[in-house]
Amino acid sequence: MSLSYVLVVNSPVYGRQSSLTAYRFAKALIEKGHTLTRVFFYQDGVSNASSLTVPANDEFDLVSAWQTLAKESGAELETCVAAALRRGQVSEEEAKQHALASNNMADGFTQAGLGSLSESLLTADRVVQF
């Protein structure tokens, strides 16, 4: 039986294991035939969407991995707009709205409100938080 999943990632892209664990969980559920509809990055998890991360040569590039996973699976990658702005994670649209000189949201990620997460919670078969 195939289930639809939403993941909520609260941990930063580096410095803790939870974001990488969420990514590995996402890969595994897709490989098992389940559907990943959305990954919602909240609190410090918004750093997973930064276009300015440069991992060391021997480290896994998690931002790029999320982008590839979304392209291959069709999953949406959303960051909480309020949490992102507080942490300096800014989309092109938000940069224009707030008259900022630049943005740093990686391709494939979008900013959304908690309403988007709430809608996901109502429609998914399973929600897993990391």
Side-chain angles (χ1 to χ4, degrees):
M1 177 168 130
S2 177
L3 300 173
S4 67
Y5 282 79
V6 169
L7 304 184
V8 180
V9 179
N10 295 333
S11 294
V13 65
Y14 295 110
R16 293 195 197 134
Q17 191 66 30
S18 295
S19 290
L20 180 58
T21 302
Y23 169 77
R24 289 179 176 161
F25 182 84
K27 291 282 288 182
L29 72 87
I30 292 167
E31 288 170 9
K32 293 288 184 182
H34 299 292
T35 303
L36 177 63
T37 58
R38 177 172 288 131
V39 182
F40 192 86
F41 299 93
Y42 189 51
Q43 297 172 336
D44 289 341
V46 299
S47 69
N48 283 268
S50 176
S51 64
L52 299 177
T53 58
V54 183
N57 291 338
D58 62 342
E59 287 184 335
F60 185 70
D61 186 345
L62 191 51
V63 174
S64 177
W66 282 121
Q67 291 170 307
T68 300
L69 179 118
K71 284 179 188 172
E72 292 175 354
S73 70
E76 296 180 36
L77 303 176
E78 293 183 340
T79 66
C80 173
V81 65
L85 291 175
R86 271 193 229 87
R87 290 165 174 83
Q89 184 62 51
V90 182
S91 69
E92 184 176 352
E93 182 180 316
E94 291 293 330
K96 288 177 185 174
Q97 181 178 340
H98 298 284
L100 300 173
S102 63
N103 65 77
N104 60 341
M105 176 90 34
D107 291 338
F109 291 84
T110 60
Q111 290 188 317
L114 289 177
S116 179
L117 175 60
S118 297
E119 182 181 315
S120 297
L121 301 179
L122 293 173
T123 58
D125 295 313
R126 301 283 188 272
V127 178
V128 183
Q129 184 172 350
F130 293 87

